[in-house]
Amino acid sequence: EPIMKKAGAIVTNRGGRTCHAAIIARELGIPAIVGCGDATDNLSVGKEVTVSCAEGDTGNIYEGLLKFERTEQDLGEIPKVGMKIMMNVGNPETAFTFGQLPND
């Protein structure tokens, strides 16, 4: 099984919103912070951190395991957006799930 499927988050030194790591992280539903510069120099095996992408455009890495609350949205409540949504899905396992999103 690919290591990214086992990861709780993805952190890279280089990359941007459209890099491979960011796209795969979105498909897997895990946070990704890309283009950090020196993140892998500061992180070590076994070090507990919290990776958060909830604060806006910039992701943050916090020392230790922070408490958080997870909420789920029922996709049946999302209104149609009035346009065709097209996606570039690189993970065949998620294609059916993404295909259920409401669109015209």
Side-chain angles (χ1 to χ4, degrees), residues 1-80:
E1 186 169 33
I3 193 69
M4 286 184 171
K5 287 188 175 185
K6 296 178 181 181
I10 297 173
V11 178
T12 68
N13 289 348
R14 295 173 47 188
R17 293 176 189 214
T18 58
C19 76
H20 182 67
I23 292 168
I24 295 301
R26 282 191 290 274
E27 289 180 6
L28 295 175
I30 60 175
I33 301 180
V34 296
C36 296
D38 64 352
T40 58
D41 294 331
N42 295 314
L43 297 174
S44 58
V45 174
K47 183 175 185 177
E48 292 184 335
V49 297
T50 299
V51 175
S52 175
C53 297
E55 290 90 358
D57 289 341
T58 303
N60 293 293
I61 302 171
Y62 300 100
E63 286 194 41
L65 301 178
L66 303 181
K67 291 185 179 186
F68 65 94
E69 182 178 321
R70 179 177 177 171
T71 59
E72 293 188 23
Q73 178 67 41
D74 178 6
L75 295 181
E77 298 175 10
I78 297 177
K80 291 198 176 245

